[in-house]
Amino acid sequence: MVFAVQCPEPKCRKFMLVEEHDRGTVVPCLICKTPIRVGAGTEVRDQKSEVRNDPSNRPAHRPTTAPLD
């Protein structure tokens, strides 16, 4: 599987595609050669799902109509 990573260098910030076997390693940016740490996929996915399922991260409910008197 192929996925995208973004260069952390503020002057570059280019995206590049990396292979599944690069997870957990450091690869150089193809443009500026800045080292990019490729995250381990399962940890990133788990953190995102935890944030989505956490009720404290949801916006407060706002009524869509005026309250009845």
Side-chain angles (χ1 to χ4, degrees):
M1 185 161 100
V2 178
F3 59 98
V5 293
Q6 186 176 23
C7 178
E9 174 60 41
K11 293 181 181 179
C12 182
R13 305 296 290 170
K14 301 294 183 196
F15 284 91
M16 62 183 233
L17 298 176
V18 294
E19 297 284 338
E20 184 73 29
H21 61 82
D22 290 324
R23 286 195 186 273
T25 65
V26 176
V27 298
C29 173
L30 296 174
I31 306 300
C32 70
K33 307 302 182 212
T34 298
I36 302 170
R37 184 174 306 275
V38 181
T42 56
E43 293 176 11
V44 173
R45 286 186 201 128
D46 290 343
Q47 289 173 357
K48 286 182 180 178
S49 65
E50 287 174 13
V51 169
R52 269 188 254 129
N53 293 331
D54 184 0
S56 66
N57 288 330
R58 294 187 183 135
H61 175 70
R62 295 182 184 177
T64 55
T65 59
L68 299 173
D69 290 330

